[in-house]
């Protein structure tokens, strides 16, 4: 339950952005994408793109549908 | 974000305009003895942002309920003429937006309250002054173009909400002595609101929505492309149509759920507010009912007493008089007995005739023969002789003097005798009846005084409640009744919404099963050309995978956050408790009740912790929440607290201060728990970046601090 002093030091020192935290949560959930046979690099790139779009929406009130179009185009360029 | 300065003008114990504190980043300590103005300084922070202050024993009071108490007494006392104007204001300068991508902006938040003297009566009573509404302004300079922006009223309020969101502000500003009142962790909503604010659930939801939109679109294109090379295009298209239809059903139901969940959350929030209001008003209906019941009881007893009184006056005055005639009546009864005795005597005397007097048979014979058989003289019918013989015959049955008139008198007299008996018999009970009546009367009086005492107690409680809440009893009870009605209505609405959401969830599950079944059927249809590569088929593998993962992350976000709050709170708890071996265990937040528990390593709740211990656990949770908020939102909120350490011992106090100095970019701690002797030593502590001392003084040299002369001062020591 208790976090060691060393871990605490790390927690304090590493200031993460919202993007980092969202990405970390995906990595943590998927065990660094080791739970699938899909291409890891592609998954990383799609996830990061998706997170960028979401954070942008959050800050600028852009519509989800507009972001979906951007992501769709991005997917066509990334997945071969 | 950090607080640059606060400036006070005639605010409570701070007289004049000379009170400005310039804070630094890191830990700022404001120390002072009892009544030196610490809580008033905290009030100033709270008042400028929220237009209310926390009054111990009374709850949060808005400016309009505070009257002239916010204005400095010395300033009021120095007013010498009508139309004198006194200004009270607090100015808070906050620097926000100093993140990696944003330039810092300085906001000057000012709240002002003006009072004007309207009479020369006592300057410390409200009616002597005209009190204006407080005004609020927020001024800022755009760092890009240096344009000045100044907003007032609602716009200023909105700006403050952006700077210090209300969901998190109870954690940024807290008064240690009123911790339980201000942040009630026993109320589920308290912690949930903070978690709502911190959490990334809206971001995951947005990610999910975007990914699902893409996935649906890609899947649709994929099916169109496959149908072109399908061996049974007709069947494939039909299955695709069904899949599309069910996909639409899912989409529609999801947006229905989202919309209804928003309504549900809003209703739940309303319900929590009403629940809180109801519990705050709970004493009103109880006391009001008790008051009405007791007043009714008193009224009934008074009615009984009045009835008894009338009864006594009417009945007993006659009875007393009657009782006074008892002797006379007894004498009269004696006379009647004498009369009866005398009458009997006469009757017996009548019977007592000589031997030679002929009997009735002999006399009948004489009457029959119309001849006196004693003297042989004729006694013709209706003659005097005949009548004489006849009278002799009746003499034993009816003595001569018992004439009908006499007998009538006798009958009357006899009836008096029985009446007298009855009256005398009743008179024997008059005394008992009067004693019993007196006892009833006394008993009712005792009952009345008990109920009157009860009413006095209830009215005292009502007065206390009025002082505490500022609401009249009948208004409070009526508000409670209305709120209870609202609560019942909301309950029905929430149940209906829950049912609708569950229904939509079931429709989604059914549609998902249908899609899975139709997709299976589609896959079985042979393709005419197996070499053609369909790009959408490949992309949809990624979109499907990510939709699934993100949905699961969204679902577990709440639990993850509570885990993190717990972990972070336990770090502070370990730091602080390491100096005090009497405190042990770990902090745990119950996932269902949101209660804060102290548990051993195996998770069992420890029961032997005291108030100070519990307060410390709560403070560690608060630290964790603000700390996580700062991390999650990339916004460092300052932490401002009054008397956080009042329940801690000296060692734990300093351990706590050191702990928060590590947690927050800026913290302002107002405390009395640092003595004059300790000031020099803590000045040298690296973790303390700013040190201020509050003192109360006057300009007259009097040792005794009078409210008309004394005021607080703030001195910067570090």
């Amino acid at each position: 339950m208790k976090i060691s002093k060393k871990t605490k030091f790390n927690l304090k020192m590493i200031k993460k952005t919202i993007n980092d935290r969202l990405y970390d949560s995906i990595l943590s959930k998927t065990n660094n994408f080791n739970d699938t046979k899909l291409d890891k690099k592609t998954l990383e790139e799609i996830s990061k793109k998706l997170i960028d779009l979401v954070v942008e929406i959050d800050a600028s009130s852009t519509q989800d549908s507009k972001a979906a179009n951007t992501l769709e185009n991005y997917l066509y360029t990334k997945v071969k | 974000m950090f607080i640059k300065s606060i400036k006070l003008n005639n605010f409570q114990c701070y007289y004049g305009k000379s009170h400005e504190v310039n804070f630094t980043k890191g830990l700022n300590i404001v120390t002072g003895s009892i009544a030196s103005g610490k809580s008033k300084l905290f009030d100033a922070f709270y008042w400028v942002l929220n237009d209310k202050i926390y009054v111990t024993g009374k709850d949060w009071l808005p400016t309009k309920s505070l009257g002239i108490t916010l204005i400095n007494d010395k300033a009021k006392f120095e007013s010498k003429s009508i139309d004198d104007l006194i200004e009270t204001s607090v100015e808070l300068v906050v620097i926000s937006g100093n993140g990696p991508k944003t330039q810092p902006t300085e906001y000057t938040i000012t709240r002002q309250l003006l009072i004007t003297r309207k009479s020369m009566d006592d300057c410390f009573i409200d009616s002597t002054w005209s009190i204006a509404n407080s005004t609020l302004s927020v001024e800022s300079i755009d760092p890009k173009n240096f344009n000045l922006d100044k907003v007032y009223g609602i716009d200023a309020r909105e700006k403050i909400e952006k700077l210090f969101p209300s969901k998190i502000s109870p954690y940024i500003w807290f008064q240690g002595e009123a911790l339980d009142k201000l942040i009630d962790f026993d109320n589920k909503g308290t912690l949930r609101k903070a978690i709502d604010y911190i959490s990334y659930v809206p971001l995951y939801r947005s990610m999910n929505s975007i990914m699902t939109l893409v996935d649906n679109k890609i899947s649709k294109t994929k099916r169109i492309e496959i149908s072109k090379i399908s061996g049974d295009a007709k069947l494939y298209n039909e299955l695709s149509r069904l899949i599309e239809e069910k996909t639409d059903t899912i989409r529609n139901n999801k947006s229905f759920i989202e919309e209804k969940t928003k309504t549900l959350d809003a209703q739940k929030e309303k319900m929590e507010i009403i629940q809180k209001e109801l519990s705050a008003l709970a004493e009103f209906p109880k006391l009001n009912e008790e008051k009405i019941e007791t007043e009714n009881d008193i009224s009934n007893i008074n009615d009984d007493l009045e009835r008894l009184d009338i009864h006594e006056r009417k009945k007993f005055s006659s009875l007393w008089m009657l009782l006074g005639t008892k002797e006379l009546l007894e004498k009269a009864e004696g006379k009647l007995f004498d009369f009866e005795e005398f009458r009997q005597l006469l009757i017996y005397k009548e019977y007592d005739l000589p031997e030679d007097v002929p009997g009735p048979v002999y006399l009948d014979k004489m009457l029959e023969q119309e001849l006196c058989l004693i003297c042989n003289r004729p006694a013709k019918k209706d003659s005097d002789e005949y009548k004489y013989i006849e009278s002799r015959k009746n003499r034993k049955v009816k003595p001569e003097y018992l004439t009908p008139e006499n007998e009538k008198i006798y009958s009357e007299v006899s009836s008096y005798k029985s009446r007298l008996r009855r009256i005398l018999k009743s008179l024997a009970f008059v005394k008992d009846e009067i004693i019993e009546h007196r006892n009833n009367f006394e008993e009712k009086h005792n009952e009345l005084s008990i109920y009157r005492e009860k009413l006095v107690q209830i009215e005292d409680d009502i007065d206390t409640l009025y002082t505490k809440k500022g609401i009249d009893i009948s208004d409070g009870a009526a508000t409670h009744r209305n709120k209870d009605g609202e609560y019942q209505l909301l309950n029905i609405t929430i149940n209906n919404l829950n049912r609708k959401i569950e229904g939509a969830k079931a429709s989604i599950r059914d549609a998902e099963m249908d899609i899975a079944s139709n997709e299976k059927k589609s896959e079985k249809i042979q393709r005419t050309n197996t070499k053609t590569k369909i790009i959408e088929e490949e992309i949809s593998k990624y979109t499907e995978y990510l939709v699934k993962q993100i949905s699961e992350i969204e679902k577990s976000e709440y639990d993850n956050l509570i885990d993190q709050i717990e972990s972070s709170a336990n770090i502070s708890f370990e730091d602080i408790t390491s100096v005090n071996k009497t405190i042990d265990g770990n902090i745990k937040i119950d996932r269902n009740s949101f209660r804060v528990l102290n548990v051993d390593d195996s998770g069992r709740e420890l029961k032997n912790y005291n108030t100070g211990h519990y307060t410390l656990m709560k403070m560690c949770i608060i630290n964790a929440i603000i700390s996580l908020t700062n991390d999650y939102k990339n916004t460092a909120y300052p932490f401002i607290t009054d008397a956080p350490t009042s329940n801690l011992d000296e060692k734990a106090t300093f351990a706590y201060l050191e702990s928060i100095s590590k947690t927050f970019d800026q913290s302002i701690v107002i405390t009395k728990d640092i003595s004059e002797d300790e000031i020099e030593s803590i000045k040298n502590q690296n973790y303390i970046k700013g040190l201020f001392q509050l003192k109360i003084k006057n300009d007259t040299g009097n040792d005794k601090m009078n409210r008309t002369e004394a005021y607080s001062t703030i001195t910067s020591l570090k």
Side-chain angles (χ1 to χ4, degrees):
Chain A
M1 164 95 52
K2 291 184 181 180
I3 295 175
S4 71
K5 297 271 178 189
K6 194 179 168 188
T7 320
K8 193 173 82 178
F9 174 76
N10 288 338
L11 280 175
K12 186 72 197 162
M13 292 305 289
I14 304 163
K15 277 271 180 192
K16 289 178 177 173
T17 61
I18 294 175
N19 300 49
D20 293 338
R21 287 177 180 279
L22 291 170
Y23 185 59
D24 282 353
S25 66
I26 296 175
L27 289 186
S28 157
K29 171 74 185 69
T30 61
N31 187 21
N32 292 327
F33 300 118
N34 282 326
D35 63 345
T36 176
K37 285 176 184 164
L38 295 170
D39 180 61
K40 205 183 275 188
K41 193 168 175 290
T42 311
L43 278 171
E44 279 173 11
E45 285 172 348
I46 299 171
S47 302
K48 282 181 179 171
K49 181 71 182 173
L50 175 63
I51 289 166
D52 286 345
L53 287 168
V54 163
V55 172
E56 200 183 308
I57 287 173
D58 192 45
S60 63
S61 312
T62 321
Q63 298 242 319
D64 284 358
S65 54
K66 200 177 162 193
N69 285 339
T70 313
L71 184 67
E72 190 189 348
N73 293 334
Y74 183 79
L75 284 166
Y76 277 103
T77 62
K78 286 289 154 189
V79 183
K80 303 286 177 195
Chain B
M1 180 199 293
F2 86 98
I3 290 176
K4 190 181 167 192
S5 65
I6 189 165
K7 205 187 279 180
L8 294 85
N9 174 20
N10 283 328
F11 183 82
Q12 302 208 92
C13 58
Y14 294 91
Y15 169 73
K17 289 186 173 181
S18 56
H19 310 282
E20 182 171 1
V21 193
N22 291 300
F23 296 105
T24 173
K25 285 189 178 177
L27 174 63
N28 294 267
I29 291 180
V30 182
T31 177
S33 56
I34 292 169
S36 58
K38 295 183 304 301
S39 294
K40 307 301 179 203
L41 180 64
F42 181 80
D43 286 347
F45 279 110
Y46 213 92
W47 183 70
V48 66
L49 296 177
N50 302 294
D51 200 20
K52 60 185 176 183
I53 61 170
Y54 186 79
V55 179
T56 308
K58 286 192 181 180
D59 218 331
W60 292 104
L61 294 184
T63 305
K64 57 182 174 187
S65 303
L66 291 162
I68 55 166
T69 54
L70 278 175
I71 292 107
N72 179 263
D73 283 343
K74 184 166 151 57
K76 283 182 285 196
F77 187 71
E78 284 174 358
S79 149
K80 294 294 173 220
S81 55
I82 288 186
D83 290 338
D84 273 356
L85 181 78
I86 304 179
E87 179 199 341
T88 286
S89 62
V90 176
E91 182 190 288
L92 188 71
V93 180
V94 175
I95 295 180
S96 177
N98 47 336
K101 289 179 185 173
T102 50
Q103 282 182 286
T105 307
E106 190 171 292
Y107 294 89
T108 305
I109 304 164
T110 311
R111 190 175 291 279
Q112 186 192 53
L113 178 68
L114 296 174
I115 61 166
T116 316
R117 189 147 195 170
K118 60 179 183 185
S119 81
M120 292 313 291
D121 294 341
D122 185 351
C123 68
F124 296 123
I125 57 171
D126 284 359
S127 56
T128 305
W129 302 88
S130 287
I131 310 167
N133 288 331
S134 73
T135 56
L136 173 71
S137 69
V138 179
E139 192 180 305
S140 59
I141 295 170
D142 191 320
K144 287 176 192 161
N145 51 26
F146 301 103
N147 283 343
L148 175 76
D149 178 35
K150 190 165 184 179
V151 289
Y152 299 89
I154 296 170
D155 295 334
R157 184 64 243 157
E158 276 175 12
K159 211 144 230 183
I160 290 174
E161 176 64 27
K162 275 186 190 161
L163 288 167
F164 301 101
S166 49
K167 281 181 180 171
I168 203 74
S169 59
Y171 300 91
I172 306 171
W173 318 84
F174 86 87
Q175 219 273 355
E177 283 162 354
L179 184 63
D180 289 338
K181 186 95 185 168
L182 299 180
I183 306 170
D184 177 14
F185 281 125
D186 289 339
N187 182 344
K188 260 186 175 186
T190 308
L191 203 54
R192 209 197 61 219
K193 268 186 197 165
I195 293 170
D196 271 345
Y197 179 70
I198 303 169
S199 90
Y200 287 162
V201 167
L203 294 176
Y204 290 124
R205 203 172 288 147
S206 179
M207 278 163 82
N208 210 353
S209 156
I210 295 168
M211 214 57 200
T212 308
L213 279 171
V214 175
D215 184 51
N216 289 345
K217 209 169 164 192
I218 296 282
S219 300
K220 195 174 175 180
T221 319
K222 176 183 84 176
R223 279 192 288 276
I224 293 167
E225 292 303 315
I226 294 174
S227 79
K228 290 176 186 167
I229 53 167
S230 174
D232 186 348
K234 198 181 166 195
L235 176 62
Y236 190 88
N237 283 336
E238 176 56 16
L239 289 170
S240 295
R241 192 190 61 76
L242 290 172
I243 291 169
E244 284 301 318
E245 202 178 279
K246 293 296 169 189
T247 307
D248 284 348
T249 307
I250 291 174
R251 190 172 47 243
N252 292 339
N253 275 301
K254 274 189 177 169
S255 58
F256 176 83
I257 289 172
E258 201 174 324
E259 184 201 322
K260 294 296 168 197
T261 306
K262 270 184 198 161
T263 318
L264 183 68
D265 288 346
Q267 303 287 23
K268 277 183 181 170
E269 204 165 312
K270 254 193 208 170
M271 200 170 185
E272 265 167 32
I273 293 167
I274 292 177
Q275 259 175 328
K276 212 173 170 187
E277 285 170 343
L278 278 174
S279 82
L281 291 167
E283 285 168 281
F284 284 100
K286 192 176 149 259
L287 279 174
N288 196 41
E289 268 169 39
E290 271 183 39
K291 189 188 171 200
I292 292 169
E293 263 176 35
T294 312
E295 279 172 347
N296 284 342
D297 287 339
I298 288 174
S299 162
N300 289 340
I301 295 169
N302 275 328
D303 286 349
D304 286 349
L305 280 168
E306 197 180 332
R307 197 171 38 77
L308 283 170
D309 190 44
I310 293 167
H311 181 73
E312 184 182 44
R313 267 190 279 118
K314 275 190 180 169
K315 184 177 173 185
F316 289 110
S317 56
S318 319
L319 281 177
W320 272 117
M321 282 168 71
L322 197 61
L323 195 64
T325 62
K326 190 181 173 189
E327 201 184 332
L328 289 172
L329 291 169
E330 278 170 352
K331 269 187 187 167
E333 192 189 26
K335 291 281 177 198
L336 286 175
F337 276 118
D338 289 351
F339 170 76
E340 188 139 20
E341 217 169 273
F342 178 68
R343 180 176 169 271
Q344 278 303 323
L345 204 72
L346 287 178
I347 292 168
Y348 289 138
K349 197 177 173 186
E350 199 68 28
Y351 284 144
D352 196 18
L353 292 170
E355 292 275 323
D356 58 339
V357 172
V361 178
Y362 200 61
L363 289 168
D364 281 342
K365 205 172 176 179
M366 284 190 210
L367 291 171
E368 196 187 327
Q369 291 176 17
E370 295 182 358
L371 178 73
C372 173
L373 295 173
I374 295 167
C375 65
N376 264 341
R377 280 188 290 177
K380 292 286 176 198
K381 201 172 177 181
D382 298 329
S383 65
D384 289 344
E385 291 80 8
Y386 186 89
K387 284 176 185 168
Y388 181 76
I389 295 166
E390 205 173 30
S391 74
R392 296 288 100 182
K393 183 189 164 191
N394 294 330
R395 75 183 166 206
K396 282 182 187 170
V397 183
K398 280 188 178 175
E400 208 171 296
Y401 60 89
L402 291 182
T403 59
E405 290 76 24
N406 281 349
E407 281 304 279
K408 201 178 167 191
I409 291 166
Y410 171 69
S411 155
E412 282 289 311
V413 169
S414 294
S415 79
Y416 281 122
K417 203 181 95 186
S418 68
R419 277 184 215 169
L420 264 176
R421 187 91 315 266
R422 277 206 303 279
I423 291 168
L424 283 169
K425 206 174 169 186
S426 306
L427 283 180
F429 294 109
V430 167
K431 260 192 180 171
D432 291 345
E433 212 174 318
I434 288 171
I435 289 166
E436 195 191 335
H437 174 82
R438 283 278 165 217
N439 287 343
N440 278 344
F441 211 72
E442 209 170 305
E443 208 174 288
K444 287 283 168 197
H445 265 293
N446 287 341
E447 220 177 309
L448 185 65
S449 62
I450 290 168
Y451 278 98
R452 277 186 178 151
E453 269 173 36
K454 194 178 165 189
L455 189 62
V456 168
Q457 181 59 49
I458 292 169
E459 276 166 352
D460 282 352
D461 290 348
I462 288 171
D463 283 347
T464 313
L465 198 59
Y466 181 78
T467 320
K468 210 163 115 185
K469 312 265 183 188
I471 310 169
D472 173 63
I473 183 77
S474 51
D475 287 350
T479 314
H480 186 278
R481 214 169 25 250
N482 293 340
K483 292 281 166 200
D484 192 51
E486 277 180 51
Y487 179 83
Q488 303 300 342
L489 217 66
L490 271 175
N491 211 8
I492 295 168
T493 313
I494 287 172
N495 285 340
N496 286 341
L497 282 168
N498 274 326
R499 261 198 301 277
K500 283 177 184 168
I501 290 169
E502 284 311 311
K505 281 182 183 169
S507 299
I508 291 174
R509 280 194 296 273
D510 290 348
E512 280 171 347
M513 278 162 69
D514 288 345
I515 289 173
S517 145
N518 287 329
E519 275 178 345
K520 235 178 209 171
K521 285 178 195 166
S522 304
E523 281 163 19
K524 282 181 188 165
I525 299 171
Q526 297 281 320
R527 295 182 186 183
T528 52
N529 180 358
T530 49
K531 284 179 186 168
T532 308
K533 195 181 172 191
I534 296 166
I535 182 72
E536 286 80 8
E537 221 169 353
E538 199 55 32
I539 295 174
S540 71
K541 286 178 190 164
Y542 288 88
T543 54
E544 275 172 24
Y545 170 79
L546 284 169
V547 164
K548 185 173 172 280
Q549 301 301 332
I550 294 163
S551 294
E552 283 174 16
I553 296 170
E554 184 191 326
K555 279 180 204 159
S556 58
E557 167 73 347
Y558 250 60
D559 287 340
N560 284 342
L561 264 178
I562 296 178
D563 286 347
Q564 288 194 57
I565 291 172
E566 247 176 29
S567 289
S568 181
N570 274 307
I571 293 170
S572 313
F573 195 60
E574 190 187 350
D575 270 352
I576 301 166
T577 55
S578 62
V579 298
N580 186 339
K581 299 293 175 202
T582 60
I583 302 176
D584 198 11
N586 304 309
I587 296 171
K588 187 166 175 59
I589 300 167
D590 186 283
R591 298 300 192 269
N592 295 319
S593 67
F594 282 76
R595 274 182 62 226
V596 178
L597 309 172
N598 185 222
V599 296
D600 62 16
D601 287 337
S602 57
R604 266 197 307 269
E605 189 180 358
L606 297 167
K607 299 279 184 189
N608 58 342
Y609 49 87
N610 59 27
T611 314
H613 197 167
Y614 192 60
T615 305
L616 184 61
M617 292 197 298
K618 281 188 168 187
M619 290 198 300
C620 291
I621 297 258
I622 290 166
N623 289 1
I625 287 171
I626 305 174
S627 171
L628 268 177
T629 307
N630 292 348
D631 285 348
Y632 265 60
K633 297 284 175 190
N634 288 345
T635 312
Y637 288 109
F639 176 62
I640 300 171
T641 172
D642 177 26
T645 53
S646 52
N647 283 324
L648 305 183
D649 64 19
E650 193 186 322
K651 278 183 180 175
T653 295
F654 286 105
Y656 173 77
L657 292 174
E658 194 170 353
S659 164
I660 61 167
S661 75
K662 291 176 194 163
T663 314
F664 304 107
D665 286 356
Q666 187 192 33
S667 47
I668 300 169
V669 177
I670 305 169
T671 179
K672 69 170 189 334
D673 300 322
I674 294 169
S675 64
E676 286 269 348
D677 308 341
E678 287 165 329
I679 285 178
E680 275 309 311
S681 68
I682 66 157
K683 235 165 108 173
N684 301 324
Q685 295 289 345
N686 278 336
Y687 66 87
I688 295 171
K689 305 295 178 196
L691 183 62
F692 306 88
Q693 192 175 26
L694 302 181
K695 277 193 173 166
I696 188 148
K697 64 173 273 192
N698 59 33
D699 301 326
T700 57
N702 287 340
D703 287 343
K704 199 177 171 189
M705 295 294 170
N706 186 309
R707 70 190 283 206
T708 58
E709 299 162 349
Y711 56 92
S712 293
T713 59
I714 308 170
T715 314
S716 172
L717 303 177
K718 184 176 180 180

